[in-house]
Amino acid sequence: MTMATWPVAFILSAASSEAMRVPLVMLTIFAAAKLSAEVFERLGISGIVGEIAAGVLVGPSMLAWVAPNELTTSLADLGVMFLLFRVGLEVKPEELLKLGGAATLVAVCGVVVPMIMGWAILRLWGAPQIEAIFVGAAMVATSVGITAQVLAAKGLLQQKSSQIILAAAVIDDVLGLLVLASVSGMAKGQVNVWEIVLTAGLAIAFVVGIAFWGNRAMGKIVPRAQESLRVAEAEYALAVVLLFALSVLAVYIGVAAIVGAFFAGMALAGRVGERVNDLASGAAELLVPFFLVGIGLHVDLSAFQDRSMMLLAAVILVAAVVSKFIGCGVAALGMGKAEAIRIGVGMIPRGEVGMVVAQIGLGMGAISQNIYGVVVFMAVATTVLAPPLLKIAYKGVQGGVPEERYTLG
Amino acid sequence: MTMATWPVAFILSAASSEAMRVPLVMLTIFAAAKLSAEVFERLGISGIVGEIAAGVLVGPSMLAWVAPNELTTSLADLGVMFLLFRVGLEVKPEELLKLGGAATLVAVCGVVVPMIMGWAILRLWGAPQIEAIFVGAAMVATSVGITAQVLAAKGLLQQKSSQIILAAAVIDDVLGLLVLASVSGMAKGQVNVWEIVLTAGLAIAFVVGIAFWGNRAMGKIVPRAQESLRVAEAEYALAVVLLFALSVLAVYIGVAAIVGAFFAGMALAGRVGERVNDLASGAAELLVPFFLVGIGLHVDLSAFQDRSMMLLAAVILVAAVVSKFIGCGVAALGMGKAEAIRIGVGMIPRGEVGMVVAQIGLGMGAISQNIYGVVVFMAVATTVLAPPLLKIAYKGVQGGVPEERYTLG
């Protein structure tokens, strides 16, 4: 180490740069997110889009202040888990189960239409069969985080269309798992039907089991724990343990961690006091900006220097929006045109799930780096488009109490 | 990738083990902490010690389920920042400044006595001069996190002795910085007096400046921000930004990030609503267990296979306890014997600060790996001893409202 002329702090450079890292990353991302949200809100655009835009701004594509690293992605993971947990806290499982039939239809159509459209576009573009199938698969899974945040912020979680969206997104995640399993099998030249059936069974058992018995079980466990536990804030501690335990279980089964987090919230809905909601909000308010900024950080504008790639990206984006909108919307037409439009729009964002599928395809050599960039663009762009589209679709709908506890209006 | 016989989840092993990592680490550490806290509480021992013990149990020394990694250490850093921020929210800067004189005396004696004792023991043991000086330096800095947590949990933060401890710990941190700068200079054979004076000036300006004007400034800024900001939970967002901004500034100046976090809390004391306190508690309740477990994770029992090392570790531990107790206690004798004992005990824990000093010494080649292990043991053991000793020292003192919002009684 050389002696710098400026303060002795430099003597400690090894230690202090390490000590600096965590608060500096936190400050940069959190402050950029909130500042940008404020600016976007004043421009009449959703603050959620503002936080994603902050990620593009400070990320590798533009200012390059922050690159996605282990800390930021971990905090983003935690952020979206707490977000879905909080949403789950306001959803009654019985009501969700009642909507199961309609939601299943929405989910299935919302899987089939995008899959076929994605595959067809890539085939027309001249891509090999397996690459076309992977892109189709990457267009399947709805990422419900953004939609949930928008609906919660507007106090619309109790709307029937909102509940259909939540239920369909969960079913969609299970279907997406099966699609991915099949596609991965194809890429390796062997589809193991028995395994896929087993996976489907496990995933369905997990989802239905917790939806049916989770809330009832917590109705018995929570009051007893309240009474007998001596650690302070025992209810919150119990809730956090359940949140992570079901997330781990969900990933083990093969569905997304956020599905587990959502079910943990649903299991505790109406079973824990308002204090748990407040404390979970404190964690969520800190962590959710990392999820939103993280989406922006993943944008890589350099992938689009090629004109034909730009064209393909635009076509795929339009297809991603239209296919979910039509697939889910048509399936929901029985509920009336306005509700069908809301549901169609709410299912549009793909977010991180599409990226994970593309990453697996990339790792298997089934898709090229350029096509990977196109899929990531599609995933981010559908996410950014969702908040303003939802605003239009829900225009005039009177929400419940707008939840002050959710960031961003 | 090979096809496993068990669920298709294995097809996704690359993606799913990554997806599993975050919730699994969270679950392991959080659940172990709370379970252990519950057991310790039932045994009549402090739950705080229980959480540290959970770290030893799941850490590399015993079960080896979790090793300290980037995620756990980052969350631990965030945990102790939120802990001190929350403590700061309940401390009025005017009262702390009033106690400045007494606190300075406590801090100075609490630096000089341990420094000399540590140095003398290592010299008697036959260590080289520079190694002895480094061990002395590592015994200097009190880590106020644990004491603050205990006092807050018992509703004792408004006691005069508590306020003296907090103020002395801040001053102690500034002194520790100067000691470290001097010692590092010695190790390199050149002490730059001008730089040390400059560092001291900056650190003092930071601490005194924010203590004097921070709260007044926030008294003007917060109501205006409240009125004009459109993002939801604007007060909390502002508080979090201030927390990280002052932490960054503190590290830049050369003092610990937690000093910045504490001052951010103090600047906002009485200026923000109860809602900010609740939300900050939600983050703290999630993160503080990572701080406590993190202390336990750092214990390396393998350093003590050598009998002479065990003896040295025991002697150093006794010296660390006795020197702070006597140094700070004697300095506070003017306040009466009972208060002096409380202050002496409250200043005992060394925690992560001692470890950082030892790490720098290790990096410079000034201390050996074995001595490093001894210092880490001293840092952890003083931290574990503090809660029960504080319990005894404050026996019979009637606290204010015991803060339900702080974990662990």
Side-chain angles (χ1 to χ4, degrees):
Chain A
M1 270 183 283
T2 56
M3 205 75 162
T5 47
W6 189 233
V8 183
F10 278 84
I11 298 184
L12 320 177
S13 58
S16 90
S17 68
E18 177 51 30
M20 182 69 99
R21 201 179 51 83
V22 172
L24 193 57
V25 166
M26 300 299 291
L27 177 65
T28 308
I29 293 186
F30 192 89
K34 291 302 164 189
L35 209 64
S36 178
E38 178 69 26
V39 171
F40 273 62
E41 287 281 336
R42 279 166 191 255
L43 296 174
I45 312 171
S46 157
I48 296 173
V49 177
E51 300 205 7
I52 298 173
V56 179
L57 182 71
V58 301
S61 279
M62 296 181 70
L63 291 176
W65 287 355
V66 186
N69 59 44
E70 206 198 312
L71 178 59
T72 64
T73 52
S74 301
L75 293 179
D77 288 356
L78 290 177
V80 68
M81 278 188 244
F82 269 91
L83 167 56
L84 268 289
F85 174 72
R86 230 170 18 148
V87 168
L89 278 178
E90 298 183 33
V91 174
K92 296 224 172 57
E94 314 86 69
E95 289 175 21
L96 217 57
L97 284 169
K98 251 186 271 167
L99 300 172
T104 304
L105 188 61
V106 168
V108 170
C109 295
V111 162
V112 173
V113 180
M115 174 96 206
I116 292 175
M117 271 182 90
W119 168 81
I121 290 169
L122 266 276
R123 286 305 277 169
L124 286 174
W125 196 69
Q129 186 68 281
I130 189 68
E131 193 169 29
I133 291 176
F134 251 102
V135 170
M139 288 170 68
V140 156
T142 288
S143 168
V144 76
I146 291 286
T147 299
Q149 173 81 354
V150 174
L151 296 175
K154 295 193 181 299
L156 295 167
L157 278 179
Q158 304 310 326
Q159 296 285 318
K160 196 177 170 194
S161 50
S162 304
Q163 306 249 324
I164 294 259
I165 291 170
L166 289 173
V170 169
I171 299 165
D172 176 293
D173 205 69
V174 175
L175 295 174
L177 165 71
L178 301 182
V179 169
L180 180 56
S182 313
V183 168
S184 302
M186 276 182 222
K188 281 185 305 211
Q190 51 163 144
V191 180
N192 189 327
V193 177
W194 167 235
E195 277 199 7
I196 291 175
V197 169
L198 191 64
T199 302
L202 264 180
I204 292 168
F206 172 75
V207 166
V208 174
I210 295 179
F212 256 114
W213 291 294
N215 197 273
R216 241 170 286 178
M218 284 302 134
K220 286 183 191 156
I221 292 170
V222 172
R224 275 187 217 169
Q226 265 295 57
E227 217 171 273
S228 63
L229 289 182
R230 305 224 185 143
V231 286
E233 307 283 14
E235 244 187 18
Y236 183 59
L238 196 69
V240 171
V241 169
L242 189 69
L243 158 57
F244 292 126
L246 290 191
S247 298
V248 166
L249 198 59
V251 176
Y252 183 75
I253 298 287
V255 292
I258 57 171
V259 170
F262 175 66
F263 276 88
M266 239 179 12
L268 293 169
R271 305 304 191 185
V272 287
E274 192 57 28
R275 175 91 185 142
V276 170
N277 220 319
D278 286 345
L279 293 175
S281 296
E285 290 295 327
L286 176 68
L287 297 167
V288 169
F290 289 83
F291 163 59
L292 297 173
V293 169
I295 294 171
L297 286 182
H298 279 98
V299 172
D300 179 8
L301 298 175
S302 71
F304 303 105
Q305 291 168 346
D306 181 345
R307 261 171 187 277
S308 78
M309 273 300 146
M310 276 174 66
L311 180 67
L312 181 65
V315 172
I316 286 286
L317 173 59
V318 171
V321 171
V322 168
S323 62
K324 270 282 175 188
F325 181 71
I326 291 182
C328 299
V330 168
L333 261 184
M335 301 170 61
K337 205 176 129 201
E339 287 286 86
I341 288 176
R342 283 171 207 139
I343 292 170
V345 167
M347 298 292 285
I348 286 174
R350 302 308 202 285
E352 68 293 346
V353 191
M355 294 187 212
V356 168
V357 174
Q359 240 155 25
I360 292 174
L362 193 65
M364 285 181 152
I367 70 172
S368 69
Q369 187 70 44
N370 276 340
I371 297 292
Y372 174 72
V374 168
V375 171
V376 170
F377 170 76
M378 176 279 294
V380 174
T382 50
T383 305
V384 173
L385 283 171
L389 291 177
L390 280 167
K391 211 170 178 176
I392 299 167
Y394 277 94
K395 200 162 195 172
V397 178
Q398 196 51 51
V401 191
E403 311 271 349
E404 160 66 13
R405 79 171 70 97
Y406 291 91
T407 341
L408 319 164
Chain B
M1 270 184 283
T2 56
M3 205 74 162
T5 48
W6 191 232
V8 184
F10 276 85
I11 298 183
L12 320 178
S13 57
S16 89
S17 68
E18 178 52 30
M20 183 68 101
R21 200 179 51 85
V22 172
L24 192 58
V25 166
M26 299 299 291
L27 177 64
T28 309
I29 292 186
F30 193 88
K34 291 301 163 189
L35 209 65
S36 179
E38 179 69 26
V39 171
F40 273 62
E41 286 281 336
R42 278 165 192 256
L43 295 174
I45 312 171
S46 158
I48 295 173
V49 177
E51 299 204 8
I52 298 173
V56 179
L57 182 70
V58 301
S61 279
M62 297 182 69
L63 292 176
W65 287 355
V66 187
N69 59 43
E70 206 199 311
L71 179 59
T72 64
T73 52
S74 300
L75 293 178
D77 287 356
L78 290 177
V80 67
M81 278 189 246
F82 269 90
L83 167 56
L84 268 288
F85 174 72
R86 230 172 15 150
V87 168
L89 279 177
E90 298 184 32
V91 174
K92 296 221 172 59
E94 314 86 68
E95 288 175 20
L96 217 57
L97 284 169
K98 250 186 269 165
L99 299 172
T104 305
L105 187 62
V106 168
V108 170
C109 295
V111 162
V112 172
V113 180
M115 174 97 207
I116 292 175
M117 272 182 89
W119 169 80
I121 290 169
L122 265 277
R123 287 304 277 168
L124 287 173
W125 196 68
Q129 185 69 280
I130 189 68
E131 193 168 31
I133 291 176
F134 251 102
V135 171
M139 288 170 68
V140 156
T142 289
S143 167
V144 75
I146 291 286
T147 299
Q149 173 81 355
V150 174
L151 295 175
K154 295 192 181 300
L156 295 167
L157 278 180
Q158 303 312 325
Q159 297 285 317
K160 196 177 170 195
S161 51
S162 304
Q163 306 249 323
I164 293 260
I165 291 169
L166 289 173
V170 170
I171 299 165
D172 176 293
D173 205 69
V174 175
L175 295 175
L177 164 71
L178 302 182
V179 168
L180 180 56
S182 313
V183 168
S184 302
M186 275 182 223
K188 281 185 304 214
Q190 51 164 143
V191 180
N192 188 327
V193 176
W194 166 235
E195 278 198 7
I196 292 175
V197 170
L198 191 64
T199 302
L202 266 179
I204 292 168
F206 172 76
V207 165
V208 175
I210 295 178
F212 256 114
W213 291 295
N215 197 273
R216 242 170 285 178
M218 285 302 134
K220 284 180 191 158
I221 292 170
V222 172
R224 274 187 218 172
Q226 265 295 58
E227 217 171 274
S228 63
L229 288 181
R230 305 224 185 144
V231 286
E233 307 284 12
E235 245 187 17
Y236 183 58
L238 196 71
V240 171
V241 169
L242 189 69
L243 158 56
F244 292 127
L246 290 191
S247 298
V248 165
L249 198 59
V251 175
Y252 184 75
I253 298 285
V255 292
I258 57 171
V259 170
F262 175 66
F263 275 87
M266 240 180 11
L268 294 169
R271 305 304 191 184
V272 287
E274 193 56 29
R275 176 89 185 145
V276 170
N277 220 320
D278 286 345
L279 293 175
S281 296
E285 289 296 327
L286 175 69
L287 297 168
V288 169
F290 289 82
F291 163 59
L292 297 173
V293 169
I295 294 170
L297 287 182
H298 279 96
V299 172
D300 179 8
L301 297 174
S302 71
F304 303 104
Q305 292 168 346
D306 181 345
R307 259 169 190 277
S308 78
M309 274 300 146
M310 277 174 65
L311 181 67
L312 181 64
V315 172
I316 287 286
L317 173 60
V318 171
V321 170
V322 168
S323 62
K324 271 281 176 189
F325 181 71
I326 291 182
C328 300
V330 168
L333 261 184
M335 301 170 62
K337 205 174 128 200
E339 287 286 86
I341 288 175
R342 283 170 207 141
I343 292 170
V345 168
M347 298 290 286
I348 286 174
R350 302 309 203 285
E352 68 292 346
V353 190
M355 293 186 212
V356 168
V357 174
Q359 241 156 24
I360 292 174
L362 192 65
M364 286 180 151
I367 71 172
S368 69
Q369 187 70 45
N370 276 339
I371 295 293
Y372 174 72
V374 167
V375 172
V376 170
F377 170 76
M378 176 278 295
V380 174
T382 49
T383 305
V384 173
L385 283 172
L389 290 178
L390 279 166
K391 211 169 179 177
I392 298 168
Y394 276 94
K395 200 161 195 171
V397 178
Q398 195 51 50
V401 189
E403 311 270 351
E404 162 65 15
R405 80 172 69 98
Y406 289 89
T407 342
L408 318 165

